[in-house]
Amino acid sequence: MELTMLGTAAGRPAEGRNVTASALAMPPQRGTFWLFDCGEGTQHQLLRAGLKLCKLERIFVTHLHGDHVFGLPGLLGSRSSMGCETPLTLHGPRGIRHWLETTFTVTGAHVHYELEIREIDGDGGVVHEDDQFTVTAAPLNHRIACYGYRIEERPRPGKLDAAKLAELGVPQGPLYAQLKRGEDATLPDGRVIRAADVVGPPIPGRIIAILGDTTPCDAAVRLAEGADLVVHEATFEAALADKAAEYGHSTTAEAARTARDARAARLLLTHFSGRYRDEDLPRLEAEAREVFPSSAAARDFLTVQLPHKRRT
């Protein structure tokens, strides 16, 4: 799995920096990716990143401000004109269905694949669940309804104790797979091998928190609790905390405090105000690192690897 930052600017594009979007590549056997937010020009960024729209499985929108959604109508239409036939599910705050349906009606656009829109309201909760991942949404603190997302991978089966299996005379093959799945196995001689005796504890899955625009709040900390990676807006430098609060945003130091309080492993800062140029990013990064050392300032097309956790 890996996360690619497609846009790291707040409000409007800047030179070398597009507005908000990020793509989470699913495990290779799945062969798809999820998109988080879709600012204007996101489909151009996807082309540059080598990500194919037909592989897009889900879109999660944090809120309906333009720099997070204005790329949606074009992207959805392009996916149709390219002949993509696989279903697509869009998750977002209440109002996103009305806005998209109105846009399609007024412009005469058509989508020829199955598009399911699931609106999120109130306290959010689990918005998606499958055999590999659970996605939970919770409301943040912004000027309009805005959500953050916590993506949790299910634990993987523990490690087989090969030495013990050999000692017990368990032949390699289907019985190994059965025990690995947590199922007890019966040997040809009638002995029952309990999976709990030969399989180690489950290996925790990866956790990613992708937060929308927000001032510091408890919900952000809860979503980021123990995460391997937290993506948090840092619209302003630490000295501009009053301005950040006025506009419903966070500073570098505030984002870092959220990651620290959540006991996260890594923090990726994004959504930088247009007042900052690329040469300012090391300074913004340094501000965050004073609070949370594992902080980094994102740049467009930065890709962060999310390796499996180690077996214990």
Side-chain angles (χ1 to χ4, degrees):
M1 288 174 65
E2 60 184 31
L3 182 73
T4 299
M5 303 301 292
L6 300 171
T8 58
R12 64 182 187 275
E15 186 177 353
R17 195 185 305 157
N18 203 55
V19 285
T20 301
S22 57
L24 179 63
M26 294 286 101
Q29 66 270 24
R30 195 157 172 154
T32 60
F33 72 95
W34 293 353
L35 184 66
F36 290 82
D37 282 334
C38 187
E40 177 186 356
T42 292
Q43 62 176 314
H44 291 277
Q45 301 293 83
L46 288 169
L47 287 168
R48 296 185 183 105
L51 292 166
K52 300 183 184 302
L53 281 179
C54 291
K55 299 293 186 181
L56 176 58
E57 183 181 8
R58 292 182 180 274
I59 303 174
F60 297 86
V61 170
T62 61
H63 65 295
L64 299 182
H65 277 157
D67 57 327
H68 294 254
V69 299
F70 280 171
L72 265 177
L75 181 145
L76 296 174
S78 291
R79 192 175 188 272
S80 186
S81 66
M82 291 171 62
C84 301
E85 298 179 348
T86 54
L88 176 64
T89 304
L90 170 63
H91 307 261
R94 181 173 297 279
I96 194 166
R97 179 193 304 276
H98 174 70
W99 174 64
L100 280 174
E101 289 179 348
T102 299
T103 301
F104 289 153
T105 298
V106 171
T107 62
H110 298 281
V111 171
H112 300 293
Y113 52 85
E114 180 185 344
L115 174 63
E116 181 181 3
I117 300 175
R118 297 183 183 177
E119 292 192 322
I120 306 168
D121 203 358
D123 293 334
V126 174
V127 296
H128 171 67
E129 194 167 18
D130 60 36
D131 60 352
Q132 284 185 294
F133 296 93
T134 299
V135 183
T136 304
L140 301 174
N141 188 24
H142 193 44
R143 304 195 307 277
I144 63 172
C146 183
Y147 289 86
Y149 295 100
R150 177 182 176 91
I151 305 97
E152 294 183 80
E153 184 181 34
R154 295 187 185 278
R156 293 182 296 145
K159 184 179 181 181
L160 284 171
D161 188 336
K164 190 168 187 178
L165 288 168
E167 180 185 329
L168 293 169
V170 180
Q172 293 188 22
L175 291 180
Y176 271 45
Q178 185 175 335
L179 290 163
K180 181 82 170 175
R181 292 194 301 269
E183 302 169 4
D184 296 344
T186 302
L187 300 184
D189 61 11
R191 287 182 296 144
V192 176
I193 307 300
R194 296 177 63 247
D197 295 334
V198 294
V199 180
I203 302 164
R206 293 162 284 191
I207 301 173
I208 306 104
I210 299 178
L211 308 178
D213 295 2
T214 187
T215 59
C217 62
D218 291 342
V221 176
R222 290 195 300 270
L223 287 168
E225 184 70 37
D228 299 283
L229 178 67
V230 177
V231 180
H232 197 302
E233 67 123 304
T235 309
F236 296 104
E237 62 192 281
L240 297 179
D242 289 346
K243 182 175 287 291
E246 179 183 355
Y247 290 98
H249 290 296
S250 294
T251 68
T252 52
E254 289 168 340
R257 282 194 285 273
T258 293
R260 180 198 64 194
D261 294 348
R263 297 187 295 277
R266 288 186 289 173
L267 169 65
L268 195 58
L269 305 171
T270 187
H271 199 265
F272 302 111
S273 165
R275 70 180 62 211
Y276 304 115
R277 304 181 66 84
D278 282 352
E279 54 265 32
D280 297 313
L281 296 188
R283 175 172 61 86
L284 300 179
E285 185 177 283
E287 287 185 348
R289 286 185 172 179
E290 288 181 6
V291 178
F292 185 74
S294 296
S295 301
R299 292 162 174 79
D300 284 22
F301 302 111
L302 171 71
T303 296
V304 178
Q305 300 295 325
L306 297 160
H308 279 297
K309 293 179 179 178
R310 294 184 180 273
R311 299 179 187 271
T312 56

